[in-house]
Amino acid sequence: MNYNYPDRKNSGTTTIKVVCAVCFLLFSFLWLYEFQADILAVAQHVLSGGLTTYHPMVGAIIITLVLLLFQWLVASFIRFPSHAYALSYVPSMLVIAFISAVNADIDESSSSGIWFVVPPVLIVWGGLVWLTRQMSSYDTNGRQSMAFFSKRVWTNMLQMAVMMLLVAVAGNTHAVFHYSAHAEVALIHGDTDEALRVGEESLETNERLTMLRVYALSKKGLLGDNLFNYPVMGSSEDMLPMHTSLQILSADSIWIHLGAIPSRKCSADEYYRSLERDSFATSAVADYRLCGCLIDRRLDDFVSLLPKYYEVADSLPLPRHYQEALVLYRHLHTNPALVYHNSVVDEDWDNLKQLEAKYQLRSERKYRVFDNYYGSYWYYYFYQ
Protein backbone atom coordinates (compact mmCIF):
# COMPACT_ATOMS: atom_id res chain seq x y z
CA MET A 1 0.00 0.00 0.00
CA ASN A 2 1.29 3.49 -0.89
CA TYR A 3 1.03 6.45 1.44
CA ASN A 4 0.91 10.10 0.46
CA TYR A 5 1.73 13.09 2.63
CA PRO A 6 0.23 16.04 0.72
CA ASP A 7 -0.06 18.39 3.68
CA ARG A 8 3.49 17.77 4.81
CA LYS A 9 4.85 18.13 1.27
CA ASN A 10 2.98 21.35 0.56
CA SER A 11 3.91 22.94 3.88
CA GLY A 12 7.53 21.90 3.38
CA THR A 13 7.67 23.42 -0.10
CA THR A 14 6.09 26.59 1.24
CA THR A 15 8.76 26.76 3.95
CA ILE A 16 11.52 26.51 1.34
CA LYS A 17 9.90 29.18 -0.84
CA VAL A 18 9.46 31.56 2.10
CA VAL A 19 13.01 31.06 3.36
CA CYS A 20 14.49 31.63 -0.11
CA ALA A 21 12.31 34.68 -0.68
CA VAL A 22 13.31 36.24 2.66
CA CYS A 23 17.00 35.57 1.96
CA PHE A 24 16.74 37.16 -1.47
CA LEU A 25 14.75 40.18 -0.27
CA LEU A 26 17.18 40.93 2.53
CA PHE A 27 20.28 40.44 0.41
CA SER A 28 19.02 42.35 -2.62
CA PHE A 29 17.77 45.35 -0.65
CA LEU A 30 20.81 45.63 1.63
CA TRP A 31 23.27 45.08 -1.23
CA LEU A 32 21.65 47.70 -3.43
CA TYR A 33 20.82 50.23 -0.72
CA GLU A 34 23.80 49.99 1.62
CA PHE A 35 26.67 49.04 -0.65
CA GLN A 36 25.90 49.79 -4.30
CA ALA A 37 23.70 52.91 -4.05
CA ASP A 38 26.42 55.42 -4.93
CA ILE A 39 27.82 53.60 -7.95
CA LEU A 40 24.28 52.97 -9.22
CA ALA A 41 23.72 56.71 -8.90
CA VAL A 42 26.87 57.25 -10.99
CA ALA A 43 25.71 54.70 -13.57
CA GLN A 44 22.23 56.19 -13.92
CA HIS A 45 23.60 59.73 -14.14
CA VAL A 46 26.10 58.81 -16.86
CA LEU A 47 23.80 56.54 -18.87
CA SER A 48 20.93 59.06 -18.81
CA GLY A 49 23.20 61.94 -19.71
CA GLY A 50 22.42 63.61 -16.41
CA LEU A 51 18.66 63.73 -17.10
CA THR A 52 17.62 61.44 -14.26
CA THR A 53 18.67 60.95 -10.65
CA TYR A 54 18.88 57.68 -8.76
CA HIS A 55 17.13 57.54 -5.38
CA PRO A 56 18.79 54.84 -3.21
CA MET A 57 15.75 53.77 -1.19
CA VAL A 58 13.27 53.85 -4.07
CA GLY A 59 15.74 52.25 -6.44
CA ALA A 60 16.60 49.39 -4.08
CA ILE A 61 12.91 48.64 -3.40
CA ILE A 62 11.84 48.75 -7.05
CA ILE A 63 14.75 46.64 -8.31
CA THR A 64 14.26 44.08 -5.54
CA LEU A 65 10.52 43.71 -6.17
CA VAL A 66 10.94 43.51 -9.94
CA LEU A 67 13.58 40.80 -9.56
CA LEU A 68 11.37 38.90 -7.12
CA LEU A 69 8.60 39.00 -9.72
CA PHE A 70 11.15 37.82 -12.30
CA GLN A 71 12.00 34.87 -10.05
CA TRP A 72 8.31 34.01 -9.66
CA LEU A 73 7.91 33.93 -13.44
CA VAL A 74 10.96 31.68 -13.79
CA ALA A 75 9.65 29.32 -11.10
CA SER A 76 6.22 29.29 -12.77
CA PHE A 77 7.59 28.16 -16.13
CA ILE A 78 10.26 25.75 -14.85
CA ARG A 79 9.53 23.09 -12.26
CA PHE A 80 12.31 23.06 -9.65
CA PRO A 81 12.66 20.16 -7.20
CA SER A 82 12.37 21.15 -3.57
CA HIS A 83 16.04 20.49 -2.82
CA ALA A 84 17.11 22.91 -5.58
CA TYR A 85 14.35 25.52 -5.54
CA ALA A 86 16.96 28.24 -4.84
CA LEU A 87 18.20 27.78 -8.42
CA SER A 88 15.10 29.69 -9.55
CA TYR A 89 16.85 32.83 -8.21
CA VAL A 90 19.89 32.49 -10.47
CA PRO A 91 18.54 34.80 -13.25
CA SER A 92 17.58 37.46 -10.69
CA MET A 93 20.96 37.20 -8.97
CA LEU A 94 22.62 37.45 -12.36
CA VAL A 95 20.81 40.74 -12.99
CA ILE A 96 22.02 42.10 -9.63
CA ALA A 97 25.58 41.07 -10.48
CA PHE A 98 25.28 42.69 -13.91
CA ILE A 99 24.07 46.07 -12.64
CA SER A 100 26.63 45.97 -9.80
CA ALA A 101 29.56 45.48 -12.16
CA VAL A 102 29.80 49.19 -13.02
CA ASN A 103 33.16 50.20 -14.47
CA ALA A 104 35.03 52.77 -12.41
CA ASP A 105 35.56 54.69 -15.67
CA ILE A 106 31.93 54.40 -16.75
CA ASP A 107 32.01 58.02 -17.89
CA GLU A 108 34.53 56.89 -20.52
CA SER A 109 33.32 53.33 -21.15
CA SER A 110 29.77 52.32 -20.22
CA SER A 111 30.09 48.58 -20.85
CA SER A 112 29.56 46.21 -17.92
CA GLY A 113 32.55 44.19 -16.83
CA ILE A 114 30.69 40.84 -16.72
CA TRP A 115 28.51 40.87 -19.83
CA PHE A 116 30.62 38.16 -21.44
CA VAL A 117 30.01 35.67 -18.59
CA VAL A 118 26.20 35.88 -18.80
CA PRO A 119 25.74 33.28 -21.58
CA PRO A 120 28.03 30.68 -19.95
CA VAL A 121 26.32 31.18 -16.59
CA LEU A 122 22.89 30.66 -18.13
CA ILE A 123 24.11 27.52 -19.91
CA VAL A 124 25.55 26.11 -16.67
CA TRP A 125 22.36 27.06 -14.84
CA GLY A 126 20.24 25.26 -17.44
CA GLY A 127 22.41 22.17 -17.03
CA LEU A 128 22.06 22.24 -13.26
CA VAL A 129 18.28 22.62 -13.47
CA TRP A 130 18.08 19.61 -15.82
CA LEU A 131 20.38 17.57 -13.59
CA THR A 132 18.48 18.32 -10.38
CA ARG A 133 15.19 17.40 -12.05
CA GLN A 134 16.67 14.12 -13.20
CA MET A 135 17.96 13.41 -9.71
CA SER A 136 14.57 14.16 -8.19
CA SER A 137 13.16 11.20 -10.08
CA TYR A 138 15.28 8.91 -7.90
CA ASP A 139 14.39 10.65 -4.65
CA THR A 140 12.27 8.15 -2.72
CA ASN A 141 12.58 9.85 0.63
CA GLY A 142 9.08 11.33 0.39
CA ARG A 143 8.62 11.56 4.15
CA GLN A 144 11.72 13.66 4.78
CA SER A 145 10.98 16.60 7.06
CA MET A 146 10.90 20.03 5.42
CA ALA A 147 10.71 22.09 8.60
CA PHE A 148 12.96 25.10 8.97
CA PHE A 149 15.90 23.04 10.25
CA SER A 150 15.50 20.26 7.71
CA LYS A 151 18.21 19.20 5.30
CA ARG A 152 16.34 20.44 2.22
CA VAL A 153 15.76 23.92 3.64
CA TRP A 154 19.41 24.31 4.57
CA THR A 155 20.51 22.93 1.21
CA ASN A 156 18.57 25.73 -0.45
CA MET A 157 20.00 28.30 1.94
CA LEU A 158 23.50 27.09 1.08
CA GLN A 159 22.72 27.57 -2.60
CA MET A 160 21.47 31.10 -1.88
CA ALA A 161 24.65 31.83 0.07
CA VAL A 162 26.81 30.69 -2.86
CA MET A 163 24.86 32.94 -5.23
CA MET A 164 25.25 35.91 -2.88
CA LEU A 165 28.98 35.30 -2.71
CA LEU A 166 29.22 35.17 -6.51
CA VAL A 167 27.30 38.45 -6.80
CA ALA A 168 29.76 40.05 -4.37
CA VAL A 169 32.68 38.75 -6.42
CA ALA A 170 31.19 39.97 -9.72
CA GLY A 171 30.10 43.38 -8.44
CA ASN A 172 32.42 46.38 -8.39
CA THR A 173 33.89 46.47 -4.88
CA HIS A 174 36.76 48.83 -5.73
CA ALA A 175 37.10 50.88 -2.56
CA VAL A 176 38.29 54.17 -4.10
CA PHE A 177 35.51 54.13 -6.69
CA HIS A 178 32.98 53.74 -3.88
CA TYR A 179 34.66 56.50 -1.86
CA SER A 180 34.67 58.99 -4.72
CA ALA A 181 31.11 58.16 -5.78
CA HIS A 182 29.89 58.58 -2.20
CA ALA A 183 31.81 61.84 -1.82
CA GLU A 184 30.27 63.25 -5.00
CA VAL A 185 26.77 62.30 -3.87
CA ALA A 186 27.41 63.88 -0.46
CA LEU A 187 28.69 67.10 -2.04
CA ILE A 188 25.66 67.30 -4.32
CA HIS A 189 23.55 67.32 -1.15
CA GLY A 190 25.81 69.88 0.49
CA ASP A 191 27.12 67.45 3.11
CA THR A 192 30.83 68.30 3.19
CA ASP A 193 31.35 66.47 6.49
CA GLU A 194 30.14 63.20 4.97
CA ALA A 195 32.27 63.77 1.87
CA LEU A 196 35.33 64.09 4.12
CA ARG A 197 34.35 61.18 6.36
CA VAL A 198 34.16 58.56 3.61
CA GLY A 199 37.40 56.60 3.34
CA GLU A 200 39.14 58.74 5.95
CA GLU A 201 40.74 55.66 7.54
CA SER A 202 41.99 54.30 4.23
CA LEU A 203 45.33 55.00 2.56
CA GLU A 204 43.86 54.32 -0.91
CA THR A 205 42.99 57.25 -3.12
CA ASN A 206 43.17 58.59 -6.67
CA GLU A 207 43.21 61.99 -8.38
CA ARG A 208 39.42 62.33 -8.43
CA LEU A 209 39.03 61.58 -4.72
CA THR A 210 41.86 63.98 -3.88
CA MET A 211 40.14 66.72 -5.90
CA LEU A 212 36.84 66.11 -4.10
CA ARG A 213 38.53 66.29 -0.70
CA VAL A 214 40.33 69.49 -1.66
CA TYR A 215 36.99 71.02 -2.64
CA ALA A 216 35.25 69.87 0.55
CA LEU A 217 38.08 71.09 2.78
CA SER A 218 38.12 74.42 0.98
CA LYS A 219 34.38 74.86 1.52
CA LYS A 220 34.97 74.33 5.25
CA GLY A 221 38.00 76.64 5.30
CA LEU A 222 40.29 73.79 6.40
CA LEU A 223 42.39 73.16 3.30
CA GLY A 224 45.62 74.56 4.76
CA ASP A 225 45.11 72.68 8.02
CA ASN A 226 43.88 69.22 7.05
CA LEU A 227 44.81 68.46 3.43
CA PHE A 228 47.60 66.03 4.29
CA ASN A 229 45.47 64.21 6.84
CA TYR A 230 44.37 62.32 3.75
CA PRO A 231 46.51 60.49 1.20
CA VAL A 232 47.15 62.77 -1.78
CA MET A 233 47.57 61.61 -5.36
CA GLY A 234 48.31 63.69 -8.42
CA SER A 235 49.66 67.19 -8.83
CA SER A 236 48.34 70.71 -8.40
CA GLU A 237 46.73 70.35 -11.83
CA ASP A 238 44.51 67.56 -10.48
CA MET A 239 43.00 69.85 -7.85
CA LEU A 240 40.83 71.27 -10.63
CA PRO A 241 38.31 69.50 -12.91
CA MET A 242 40.29 70.73 -15.90
CA HIS A 243 41.96 67.42 -16.66
CA THR A 244 40.54 65.13 -13.96
CA SER A 245 36.83 64.57 -14.59
CA LEU A 246 33.92 64.30 -12.16
CA GLN A 247 31.15 61.73 -12.61
CA ILE A 248 28.04 63.14 -10.88
CA LEU A 249 29.00 66.43 -9.29
CA SER A 250 29.01 69.28 -11.80
CA ALA A 251 32.46 70.74 -12.42
CA ASP A 252 30.79 74.15 -12.32
CA SER A 253 30.41 73.71 -8.55
CA ILE A 254 34.19 73.90 -8.15
CA TRP A 255 34.64 76.64 -10.75
CA ILE A 256 32.02 78.86 -9.12
CA HIS A 257 33.54 78.16 -5.70
CA LEU A 258 36.81 79.60 -7.04
CA GLY A 259 35.26 82.48 -8.93
CA ALA A 260 34.46 81.73 -12.58
CA ILE A 261 34.17 78.99 -15.19
CA PRO A 262 37.23 78.91 -17.48
CA SER A 263 36.61 79.66 -21.14
CA ARG A 264 39.22 77.14 -22.28
CA LYS A 265 41.59 74.54 -20.95
CA CYS A 266 44.71 75.96 -19.36
CA SER A 267 47.15 75.26 -16.55
CA ALA A 268 46.08 75.70 -12.95
CA ASP A 269 48.43 78.66 -12.40
CA GLU A 270 47.17 80.37 -15.54
CA TYR A 271 43.59 79.90 -14.37
CA TYR A 272 44.31 81.34 -10.91
CA ARG A 273 46.18 84.32 -12.35
CA SER A 274 43.38 85.10 -14.78
CA LEU A 275 40.84 85.04 -11.93
CA GLU A 276 42.92 87.46 -9.90
CA ARG A 277 43.66 89.66 -12.88
CA ASP A 278 39.97 90.01 -13.72
CA SER A 279 38.92 90.34 -10.04
CA PHE A 280 36.83 87.16 -10.13
CA ALA A 281 38.88 85.22 -7.58
CA THR A 282 37.18 84.22 -4.33
CA SER A 283 39.02 83.79 -1.04
CA ALA A 284 39.29 80.05 -1.81
CA VAL A 285 41.86 80.72 -4.55
CA ALA A 286 44.57 81.57 -2.00
CA ASP A 287 44.59 78.15 -0.36
CA TYR A 288 44.16 76.37 -3.68
CA ARG A 289 47.31 78.07 -5.01
CA LEU A 290 49.32 77.57 -1.83
CA CYS A 291 48.32 73.94 -1.34
CA GLY A 292 49.01 73.29 -5.02
CA CYS A 293 52.59 74.41 -4.41
CA LEU A 294 52.80 72.08 -1.41
CA ILE A 295 51.44 69.13 -3.36
CA ASP A 296 54.04 69.72 -6.07
CA ARG A 297 56.74 70.23 -3.40
CA ARG A 298 57.47 73.67 -4.88
CA LEU A 299 58.52 75.30 -1.62
CA ASP A 300 60.18 78.29 -3.26
CA ASP A 301 56.97 79.16 -5.08
CA PHE A 302 55.01 78.61 -1.86
CA VAL A 303 57.22 81.00 0.07
CA SER A 304 56.96 83.67 -2.62
CA LEU A 305 53.16 83.41 -2.74
CA LEU A 306 52.40 83.10 0.98
CA PRO A 307 52.89 86.82 1.92
CA LYS A 308 50.44 87.74 -0.84
CA TYR A 309 47.63 86.00 1.01
CA TYR A 310 48.72 85.81 4.66
CA GLU A 311 50.58 88.12 6.98
CA VAL A 312 53.62 86.12 8.03
CA ALA A 313 55.10 86.71 11.47
CA ASP A 314 56.20 84.45 14.29
CA SER A 315 53.45 85.80 16.54
CA LEU A 316 50.62 85.39 14.01
CA PRO A 317 48.73 82.13 13.41
CA LEU A 318 48.96 80.30 10.12
CA PRO A 319 47.27 77.10 8.87
CA ARG A 320 49.10 74.05 10.22
CA HIS A 321 50.52 72.81 6.93
CA TYR A 322 51.83 76.27 6.09
CA GLN A 323 53.72 76.38 9.38
CA GLU A 324 55.20 72.95 8.70
CA ALA A 325 56.17 73.98 5.16
CA LEU A 326 57.91 77.14 6.40
CA VAL A 327 59.92 75.24 9.00
CA LEU A 328 60.86 72.65 6.37
CA TYR A 329 61.83 75.40 3.93
CA ARG A 330 64.06 77.06 6.53
CA HIS A 331 65.94 73.82 7.17
CA LEU A 332 66.36 73.03 3.47
CA HIS A 333 67.88 76.41 2.57
CA THR A 334 71.14 77.93 3.74
CA ASN A 335 69.86 81.44 3.08
CA PRO A 336 66.05 81.24 3.24
CA ALA A 337 64.10 84.11 1.74
CA LEU A 338 61.60 83.93 4.58
CA VAL A 339 62.37 82.87 8.15
CA TYR A 340 59.53 81.67 10.32
CA HIS A 341 59.72 80.37 13.90
CA ASN A 342 57.12 78.62 15.99
CA SER A 343 58.30 76.96 19.17
CA VAL A 344 55.81 74.10 19.00
CA VAL A 345 56.41 73.34 15.32
CA ASP A 346 60.18 73.71 15.73
CA GLU A 347 60.12 71.18 18.56
CA ASP A 348 58.06 68.77 16.45
CA TRP A 349 60.63 69.10 13.67
CA ASP A 350 63.50 68.36 16.05
CA ASN A 351 61.63 65.31 17.37
CA LEU A 352 61.10 64.11 13.80
CA LYS A 353 64.81 64.35 13.02
CA GLN A 354 65.70 62.52 16.24
CA LEU A 355 63.23 59.75 15.40
CA GLU A 356 64.61 59.37 11.87
CA ALA A 357 68.16 59.17 13.17
CA LYS A 358 67.30 56.02 15.14
CA TYR A 359 66.58 53.91 12.06
CA GLN A 360 68.96 53.21 9.21
CA LEU A 361 66.59 51.31 6.93
CA ARG A 362 64.23 53.61 5.03
CA SER A 363 61.35 51.12 5.26
CA GLU A 364 61.58 50.94 9.05
CA ARG A 365 62.12 54.68 9.32
CA LYS A 366 59.06 55.34 7.19
CA TYR A 367 56.97 53.01 9.36
CA ARG A 368 58.03 54.77 12.57
CA VAL A 369 57.53 58.23 11.11
CA PHE A 370 54.11 57.19 9.83
CA ASP A 371 53.01 56.27 13.34
CA ASN A 372 53.96 59.67 14.73
CA TYR A 373 53.76 62.12 11.84
CA TYR A 374 51.23 60.90 9.31
CA GLY A 375 48.98 63.85 8.54
CA SER A 376 51.84 66.33 8.58
CA TYR A 377 53.27 67.99 5.48
CA TRP A 378 56.66 66.59 6.44
CA TYR A 379 55.47 62.99 6.05
CA TYR A 380 53.97 63.81 2.66
CA TYR A 381 57.09 65.65 1.47
CA PHE A 382 59.57 62.93 2.37
CA TYR A 383 57.65 59.66 2.32
CA GLN A 384 54.36 59.75 0.41
Side-chain angles (χ1 to χ4, degrees):
M1 181 178 292
N2 296 324
Y3 295 92
N4 295 319
Y5 301 87
D7 292 338
R8 180 179 297 177
K9 182 177 181 180
N10 291 337
S11 63
T13 303
T14 300
T15 300
I16 291 173
K17 291 181 178 180
V18 169
V19 168
C20 289
V22 170
C23 286
F24 177 79
L25 286 170
L26 289 174
F27 170 76
S28 177
F29 178 79
L30 292 176
W31 176 260
L32 296 172
Y33 179 70
E34 292 290 341
F35 192 67
Q36 296 290 326
D38 297 313
I39 68 169
L40 290 177
V42 169
Q44 179 161 326
H45 178 85
V46 172
L47 296 177
S48 70
L51 298 177
T52 61
T53 302
Y54 180 80
H55 190 287
M57 177 69 75
V58 175
I61 292 174
I62 291 177
I63 293 173
T64 298
L65 293 180
V66 168
L67 292 181
L68 189 64
L69 175 62
F70 184 31
Q71 178 275 332
W72 178 79
L73 291 173
V74 171
S76 298
F77 283 99
I78 302 175
R79 178 179 172 274
F80 291 86
S82 59
H83 61 271
Y85 181 78
L87 291 179
S88 64
Y89 285 88
V90 167
S92 295
M93 289 289 196
L94 190 58
V95 172
I96 296 178
F98 185 82
I99 64 177
S100 297
V102 178
N103 289 335
D105 58 348
I106 187 174
D107 50 329
E108 300 173 6
S109 173
S110 60
S111 61
S112 173
I114 67 163
W115 66 268
F116 60 90
V117 306
V118 173
V121 168
L122 291 177
I123 292 172
V124 172
W125 173 66
L128 287 174
V129 171
W130 178 84
L131 183 61
T132 55
R133 291 184 62 178
Q134 296 303 308
M135 292 175 62
S136 66
S137 303
Y138 300 97
D139 186 359
T140 59
N141 193 8
R143 287 179 287 179
Q144 178 175 311
S145 171
M146 293 194 199
F148 182 74
F149 292 103
S150 70
K151 179 180 178 181
R152 294 196 177 192
V153 171
W154 285 96
T155 298
N156 279 275
M157 292 187 70
L158 177 61
Q159 294 170 43
M160 294 294 292
V162 170
M163 285 185 279
M164 294 174 193
L165 178 61
L166 293 177
V167 168
V169 171
N172 190 319
T173 56
H174 190 272
V176 177
F177 180 35
H178 280 262
Y179 297 156
S180 61
H182 188 76
E184 288 195 51
V185 171
L187 288 169
I188 287 175
H189 293 94
D191 193 347
T192 53
D193 290 330
E194 179 64 16
L196 292 171
R197 183 202 62 79
V198 61
E200 63 182 349
E201 300 297 327
S202 173
L203 296 179
E204 295 182 90
T205 191
N206 61 12
E207 290 84 353
R208 179 182 292 124
L209 184 56
T210 296
M211 176 172 58
L212 293 168
R213 285 168 170 165
V214 166
Y215 174 53
L217 287 168
S218 178
K219 287 178 69 70
K220 291 180 68 68
L222 297 174
L223 187 55
D225 287 297
N226 293 344
L227 173 60
F228 298 103
N229 288 354
Y230 302 91
V232 173
M233 182 173 288
S235 67
S236 59
E237 299 295 327
D238 297 306
M239 297 171 68
L240 301 176
M242 192 82 72
H243 305 289
T244 301
S245 64
L246 295 169
Q247 293 181 311
I248 307 179
L249 181 69
S250 171
D252 291 354
S253 302
I254 297 179
W255 298 130
I256 293 172
H257 174 66
L258 293 170
I261 300 172
S263 58
R264 59 180 178 83
K265 282 190 174 183
C266 58
S267 68
D269 281 340
E270 185 180 353
Y271 171 67
Y272 299 136
R273 287 195 299 268
S274 66
L275 287 179
E276 293 175 337
R277 182 191 64 232
D278 299 331
S279 301
F280 289 135
T282 65
S283 58
V285 170
D287 288 325
Y288 260 76
R289 292 196 74 180
L290 293 170
C291 287
C293 291
L294 297 185
I295 288 176
D296 294 341
R297 297 176 176 82
R298 293 183 285 121
L299 289 180
D300 289 329
D301 291 340
F302 169 79
V303 167
S304 66
L305 281 174
L306 183 62
K308 179 178 179 179
Y309 302 112
Y310 288 88
E311 186 176 353
V312 182
D314 295 350
S315 59
L316 296 177
L318 284 172
R320 178 169 66 101
H321 295 319
Y322 299 170
Q323 296 178 34
E324 295 166 344
L326 287 174
V327 170
L328 172 61
Y329 170 80
R330 192 182 79 229
H331 285 87
L332 292 179
H333 289 74
T334 306
N335 296 306
L338 192 157
V339 177
Y340 174 83
H341 290 281
N342 180 294
S343 58
V344 175
V345 182
D346 286 338
E347 183 179 357
D348 283 344
W349 171 265
D350 292 338
N351 292 337
L352 169 63
K353 293 292 105 179
Q354 291 173 16
L355 179 64
E356 288 181 321
K358 293 180 181 179
Y359 305 98
Q360 297 299 316
L361 292 177
R362 176 177 170 80
S363 58
E364 186 176 7
R365 186 165 64 248
K366 179 179 179 180
Y367 175 77
R368 299 298 179 181
V369 172
F370 176 88
D371 280 346
N372 293 275
Y373 289 93
Y374 181 78
S376 70
Y377 181 61
W378 301 328
Y379 180 83
Y380 171 82
Y381 188 91
F382 290 113
Y383 296 102
Q384 188 168 310

